[in-house]
Amino acid sequence: MPLSPILIPPSATFWCDAARALLRRLQEDALLPQRTPSQAPDFSALCVMVPTYGHALQLKAALAEALQCAFIPPRITTPATWLELLPPESGGSAIAHDSERLMALYAGLRQHAWLKKLFTAKRNTDLLPLAQTLLSLSDELTQALLPALQLAPEALEQSWQAALAELSPPARQLLSDETQLVWTIWQSQLEQNDASAARMLQLQRFAEQARGPLVWISPVAPDPQQAAFLSAYAARQPVLPLLLDWRTSAISKEYAVAWHEIHAENDASQSSIFSGRQPVALYGASGLEDEALHAAQTIVDWLQQGKSRLAIVAQDRVVARRIRALLERAQVFVSDETGWKLSTTRAAAALAAWFEVVSSRAETAALLDFLKSPYVFAPLADKPAQLMTIERTLRRANVLAGWDAAGAALAGSPTEQASVRRIAQQAAAFGGRKTLAAWLAATGGMLAALDMQAALAADAAGQQVLAVLEALQAECAALTETFAFAEWRAFLDMQLEAAPFVAANLDARVVMLPLNGTRLRSFDAVLLVGADAKHLPSQPQETLFFANAVRRELGLETRESRQRQQLRDFAELLSANPEVVLSWQAHTDGEPNPLSPWIERLQLTLARHGLPPLPAHHSALATRQLQPALPRMPAPSAPQLAPQKLSASGYNSLLACPYQFFAARMLRLSALDELSDMPEKRDYGGWLHAILKTYHDTLRDQPCPLPGRENLLRSISAQAFDAILGKNAAALGYYTRWQKVIPAYLEWANAHEAEGWQFVVGEQWFEKTLRWQQGEIQGEVLLQGRIDRIDEAADGARAILDYKTSDAASLKARLKGGEDLQLPFYGMLSDAPVASAQYVALEADKGKGGKTGAAAAPDYANWKTALETHIVMNMQAIAGGTPLPANGVESVCQYCDVRGLCRKGAW
């Protein structure tokens, strides 16, 4: 039989008060057998239901304190734990898991084109969140209506029509399709023995097996299923509810007056007197960082005061994450009871990166992101070196996407090529349509083949990712529908998004939890962050399909009921803890950020009754005196890093800005090549270099008469650009540009040949060691570079030619200043004496003639000699420790990759 409930006011002594009241009621109502004075109290026949296991420990400790003697405790457990201990019902059908129900419903929804049109779904996967929403709503209906349905099946349709009648005629017309969809899906889910319906049946079985009195302890009112269970249990054994007392007389008058909606229904009690003292203090921060800093300092101060049970209520999770980071820096490790989404961990990010590699068909950015995951090829000892080789090679070759293109670019690195091919082999398995079991098998195969399985198993978040996959394997084994890769990806993303990651609790002194996690708990002190109007109360979720009026008629949770319960949780928090600090950002983005209306109402109540306002909280941040130092131009000295190799571009960098040379060449901090889907001028130059080498090699080996040379060059160009355009159609503009230049180039080349010059070699790599003697110290540097072209005259004199995709006029201007040292540098490299050098323009002049030409280097022999002397002098200076200042001019700094290191502009 149901007994009148025990009502305990929310306070720090709730469990002690509850234990004493429970012992008193057990004796008054004679719910347990009588015992002799010599016998220890025996409560083993009593079953006590509490919300969580932590509450069970608190109740047992409170009973021990109240009894002050040895006793046999009652069976204290949670409803979920008790139901798990029930033996399976013989002949019962298997319970459909949530993941199985979700994908089965989604498979049905995607068959209906009218649904996609109704909900503006562009792709099938857009219906997956809809399926999730419909299932959640179906579970709500099951929880609210199933008990009534079992008692009076014929009244169900009447309740549904009465709920729809709450809508206005236009709204009812507008929502007719949606509401009918919800109703139909709910009824179909009932026939599939979903978990919510199965839980109702389990509760009934438990009630039928009642063997002793039941004490039901809960901070909230029972839901309809729990109420039906308690009623069924009370028909066989006594049921004693123990609940929070929300009558006006039981709570602080300040809270009763300020928040009248927290009162119990039909409450006729009188409020108590004002206490005049609240355990609450406020801190209005100037911004996010200020709130986090003062919150972390408050926690540290409390710990130094000897408080060992502290709570951070995370209404604002962004600030809470920052607080956690600051506390970890102070060696205070927060135990986060809520955790964060598993999808935000590195382990889940590795799966997300894999899916991106597959869906993008080996897009280079996605492939590199996947390879950089610490779980991929984890056992490889030289993985960083392999990864760097792969990245540099793909970027240098500007490979945008494609397994074949990546493999071809890595032909010179067989080890790295084999690694990419292993990934490509696994990606090939992620095509077509498969059952969920087959997709899970393919994913597991990929994890094993790419050495990710063991690495994930050794990581806390990775273990939970593997556990999700393992659970899905068991839950979805019976599902026979097939799904495309995009659907499998969206489904798994949704599962990882819904799963929480809770790190191991290493330090129990400070816990982070949501507001509802503080129910029936007390701490030495509590810090609530996010006490502004945006976060307190929490923003209600929009209810799809059902308006509040319909939800109220059907007995579902409404926006008002959710906020009422949240306000009760807030009032309980203030009542049950001796010290509470509420912090919020008083300003965000330069605008005032209002305090929570609940706190404003409490402040107003205090002011109306002549009571002092809630005090301001202050925490003194530790200060440090920093010695001011004016920023200066960096001028490092690094004789131990003196270069062993030197190229023409490297030496030009030394002259342009010594610090740039130091960072890029000596420290080797040069930036990686950027991937671009649009061809750049450097790509154009590389294509022309290859075309002209082929053309002149052909002329040298197979002489061709003048009239046929244009066709030959155009044929070679067409063959080269056919391959280029096959990879990137945007190169068409450069092809057209080159076709216009071909006649002018041939005119210059033929004239150059008529002067007696013959092509010798093109695109040839040269190296030459430059040595010097400085006292007793010998030094050397290896000069290296690729010369575009070497020609030879009839008298044996040689000339160096360097192609440039510029016109002749700009090249001549470039040589006038004498700052570009590429031509004399190449002359020093050549294995044979070089008499002259010139730049060859591969761009026609803008004048009417449209001709190309060459720009010859003046006084070439002396220029080479002077350059050699200059290089020796500078290399000796670097080896001697001469500073390398960041003294580049603005034109050099504008496109410098290491400007972020020298920080020019800050000094």
Side-chain angles (χ1 to χ4, degrees):
M1 61 180 177
L3 303 176
S4 59
I6 300 175
L7 300 178
I8 306 296
S11 69
T13 60
F14 172 84
W15 287 106
C16 293
D17 297 342
R20 288 192 294 267
L22 178 60
L23 293 173
R24 185 167 54 252
R25 282 292 300 273
L26 291 175
Q27 185 175 6
E28 291 174 358
D29 295 345
L31 295 179
L32 296 176
Q34 296 293 325
R35 64 180 180 89
T36 62
S38 61
Q39 290 178 317
D42 184 0
F43 302 100
S44 58
L46 184 66
C47 179
V48 181
M49 292 285 189
V50 293
T52 69
Y53 180 69
H55 295 136
L57 297 179
Q58 289 181 285
L59 176 59
K60 190 176 293 186
L63 288 173
E65 182 179 349
L67 291 169
Q68 294 292 313
C69 65
F71 68 100
I72 301 175
R75 293 169 294 163
I76 308 176
T77 185
T78 65
T81 303
W82 193 266
L83 292 179
E84 288 176 359
L85 297 177
L86 282 177
E89 189 175 10
S90 59
S93 58
I95 298 175
H97 295 280
D98 289 343
S99 56
E100 180 184 357
R101 294 169 58 213
L102 172 64
M103 294 309 284
L105 176 58
Y106 166 75
L109 294 179
R110 68 183 178 182
Q111 304 299 323
H112 301 286
W114 66 271
L115 272 175
K116 297 178 186 177
K117 182 178 179 181
L118 181 63
F119 294 100
T120 63
K122 297 180 180 179
R123 299 174 297 272
N124 280 348
T125 51
D126 293 339
L127 294 175
L128 198 53
L130 172 64
Q132 181 68 65
T133 301
L134 290 171
L135 275 186
S136 299
L137 193 53
S138 177
D139 289 342
E140 278 193 83
L141 289 169
T142 299
Q143 188 178 60
L145 302 182
L146 188 57
L149 176 63
Q150 292 179 335
L151 294 176
E154 68 283 350
L156 184 60
E157 187 64 28
Q158 297 176 3
S159 299
W160 176 252
Q161 295 302 327
L164 294 183
E166 294 294 322
L167 294 173
S168 63
R172 190 159 58 247
Q173 179 66 29
L174 180 65
L175 298 176
S176 59
D177 291 338
E178 291 92 330
T179 52
Q180 189 58 45
L181 174 66
V182 173
W183 190 248
T184 303
I185 287 177
W186 175 58
Q187 291 177 320
S188 69
Q189 291 298 311
L190 285 178
E191 297 171 358
Q192 294 181 10
N193 196 19
D194 65 84
S196 183
R199 178 174 176 269
M200 178 68 185
L201 296 177
Q202 287 179 311
L203 287 172
Q204 289 179 342
R205 286 177 56 206
F206 180 48
E208 292 169 358
Q209 300 172 11
R211 296 293 183 268
L214 171 67
V215 177
W216 179 272
I217 302 178
S218 176
V220 298
D223 61 43
Q225 285 192 4
Q226 293 172 341
F229 158 72
L230 294 176
S231 178
Y233 197 103
R236 295 167 176 80
Q237 292 289 339
V239 173
L240 179 59
L242 195 156
L243 307 172
L244 283 173
D245 190 354
W246 290 108
R247 292 175 299 176
T248 305
S249 58
I251 57 178
S252 171
K253 186 172 183 179
E254 289 89 336
Y255 305 151
V257 174
W259 306 320
H260 58 84
E261 60 264 49
I262 67 174
H263 301 164
E265 296 179 2
N266 303 320
D267 178 19
S269 62
Q270 297 297 317
S271 62
S272 58
I273 62 173
F274 286 100
S275 65
R277 178 184 176 278
Q278 299 300 321
V280 186
L282 304 177
Y283 179 73
S286 59
L288 187 151
E289 188 66 15
D290 181 48
E291 183 178 12
L293 281 171
H294 280 81
Q297 186 62 51
T298 298
I299 296 295
V300 172
D301 292 343
W302 283 342
L303 291 173
Q304 291 176 342
Q305 294 169 14
K307 298 175 180 178
S308 58
R309 297 177 61 253
L310 306 178
I312 302 173
V313 179
Q315 288 296 107
D316 187 338
R317 291 293 296 183
V318 176
V319 175
R321 284 196 296 269
R322 180 59 180 154
I323 295 171
R324 177 176 182 148
L326 291 172
L327 288 174
E328 287 182 356
R329 186 184 300 173
Q331 300 300 304
V332 177
F333 298 95
V334 178
S335 173
D336 193 339
E337 295 186 0
T338 305
W340 53 91
K341 293 179 179 180
L342 185 58
S343 60
T344 63
T345 62
R346 286 196 306 171
L351 273 182
W354 168 252
F355 290 149
E356 187 61 27
V357 169
V358 174
S359 64
S360 67
R361 294 179 176 85
E363 187 176 288
T364 297
L367 178 60
L368 293 175
D369 183 44
F370 176 65
L371 283 168
K372 289 175 182 177
S373 169
Y375 307 100
V376 180
F377 299 140
L380 285 180
D382 62 340
K383 180 185 173 182
Q386 281 198 33
L387 178 58
M388 182 56 69
T389 299
I390 292 172
E391 182 163 10
R392 285 188 181 277
T393 303
L394 296 183
R395 287 182 179 275
R396 190 175 297 118
N398 198 35
V399 176
L400 298 178
W403 296 113
D404 293 339
L410 293 167
S413 305
T415 303
E416 289 76 9
Q417 186 185 54
S419 296
V420 171
R421 282 178 175 171
R422 284 175 63 185
I423 300 174
Q425 185 178 3
Q426 293 304 312
F430 281 73
R433 301 183 65 84
K434 296 180 175 67
T435 63
L436 290 183
W439 280 120
L440 284 160
T443 303
M446 178 274 297
L447 296 177
L450 303 184
D451 302 327
M452 298 176 64
Q453 189 91 30
L456 288 170
D459 176 75
Q463 292 171 10
Q464 294 195 28
V465 169
L466 294 176
V468 168
L469 294 174
E470 185 177 349
L472 292 176
Q473 187 75 53
E475 295 171 4
C476 302
L479 204 60
T480 59
E481 287 85 350
T482 60
F483 302 93
F485 167 73
E487 294 170 317
W488 159 242
R489 178 185 185 182
F491 168 65
L492 187 56
D493 285 348
M494 183 176 287
Q495 299 302 308
L496 296 175
E497 185 79 6
F501 170 65
V502 181
N505 297 335
L506 303 178
D507 190 345
R509 295 178 300 167
V510 184
V511 297
M512 184 177 291
L513 68 174
L515 182 58
N516 59 12
T518 64
R519 293 171 182 170
L520 305 186
R521 298 171 69 177
S522 62
F523 303 90
D524 295 338
V526 175
L527 170 68
L528 185 147
V529 293
D532 54 358
K534 181 180 178 181
H535 296 95
L536 187 70
S538 300
Q539 295 300 314
Q541 296 181 350
E542 293 299 324
T543 54
L544 186 64
F545 302 111
F546 288 167
N548 261 345
V550 177
R551 297 180 66 86
R552 188 180 300 109
E553 185 66 25
L554 290 173
L556 303 180
E557 192 177 44
T558 62
R559 184 182 298 110
E560 292 79 7
S561 64
R562 282 194 297 265
Q563 290 206 4
R564 181 192 186 196
Q565 183 56 55
Q566 192 176 167
L567 180 55
R568 283 187 170 183
D569 293 340
F570 183 59
E572 182 187 355
L573 173 75
L574 302 187
S575 303
N577 294 282
E579 184 174 359
V580 179
V581 172
L582 308 175
S583 78
W584 82 103
Q585 299 172 52
H587 292 82
T588 57
D589 299 327
E591 297 291 334
N593 186 33
L595 187 61
S596 166
W598 292 348
I599 303 174
E600 294 281 16
R601 287 165 59 184
L602 179 59
Q603 291 275 56
L604 181 60
T605 299
L606 295 175
R608 282 179 172 177
H609 293 83
L611 298 174
L614 299 178
H617 172 74
H618 298 284
S619 56
L621 297 178
T623 59
R624 293 173 58 189
Q625 293 293 331
L626 300 178
Q627 196 68 25
L630 294 176
R632 298 181 301 174
M633 175 196 293
S637 173
Q640 68 276 20
L641 296 178
Q644 304 300 312
K645 299 177 181 180
L646 190 65
S647 65
S649 60
Y651 193 66
N652 275 331
S653 172
L654 174 62
L655 298 182
C657 176
Y659 185 85
Q660 182 189 80
F661 179 82
F662 163 75
R665 308 290 172 163
M666 296 170 68
L667 294 181
R668 299 180 181 179
L669 298 178
S670 54
L672 294 171
D673 294 322
E674 292 290 337
L675 293 169
S676 174
D677 55 355
M678 295 297 293
E680 300 177 357
K681 191 174 182 180
R682 63 173 182 175
D683 301 316
Y684 177 53
W687 299 333
L688 297 192
H689 278 64
I691 289 171
L692 291 175
K693 181 183 185 306
T694 303
Y695 170 72
H696 288 290
D697 281 344
T698 304
L699 281 184
R700 180 193 60 198
D701 301 334
Q702 302 173 10
C704 178
L706 294 179
R709 292 186 178 184
E710 182 171 346
N711 289 336
L712 175 62
L713 182 54
R714 289 191 182 277
S715 174
I716 293 172
S717 301
Q719 185 177 0
F721 270 99
D722 281 347
I724 295 167
L725 292 171
K727 298 177 181 177
N728 192 340
L732 181 60
Y734 282 117
Y735 184 27
T736 304
R737 177 175 170 179
W738 169 238
Q739 286 178 314
K740 294 178 180 178
V741 176
I742 286 176
Y745 172 78
L746 287 175
E747 182 181 349
W748 170 85
N750 293 336
H752 179 69
E753 182 180 339
E755 294 173 1
W757 292 100
Q758 295 294 324
F759 174 81
V760 177
V761 69
E763 303 300 325
Q764 183 71 41
W765 180 263
F766 288 91
E767 291 184 350
K768 183 177 180 180
T769 301
L770 178 62
R771 295 182 174 86
W772 62 85
Q773 183 79 30
Q774 186 178 16
E776 298 181 355
I777 301 176
Q778 293 183 348
E780 65 178 38
V781 65
L782 181 64
L783 307 181
Q784 56 185 15
R786 187 180 302 277
I787 299 178
D788 293 351
R789 174 175 168 181
I790 296 178
D791 283 5
E792 188 175 83
D795 58 1
R798 288 200 168 191
I800 287 179
L801 283 72
D802 193 80
Y803 298 125
K804 297 295 181 185
T805 53
S806 303
D807 57 43
S810 62
L811 293 176
K812 291 174 183 177
R814 180 173 176 175
L815 289 172
K816 277 185 180 180
E819 295 180 358
D820 190 336
L821 305 173
Q822 188 174 4
L823 291 178
F825 191 95
Y826 284 168
M828 294 172 58
L829 279 177
S830 176
D831 54 354
V834 178
S836 62
Q838 55 187 318
Y839 286 129
V840 177
L842 299 182
E843 192 73 27
D845 291 332
K846 296 180 180 179
K848 294 182 179 180
K851 296 183 178 182
T852 60
D859 196 11
Y860 188 64
N862 291 331
W863 197 8
K864 283 194 302 178
T865 303
L867 176 61
E868 181 173 340
T869 303
H870 203 260
I871 290 176
V872 170
M873 181 182 65
N874 281 325
M875 293 301 103
Q876 288 175 340
I878 292 175
T882 299
L884 300 168
N887 58 9
V889 297
E890 186 58 33
S891 59
V892 173
C893 299
Q894 185 176 2
Y895 301 105
C896 180
D897 290 330
V898 297
R899 183 163 183 169
L901 292 179
C902 80
R903 298 185 179 276
K904 185 174 182 179
W907 40 264

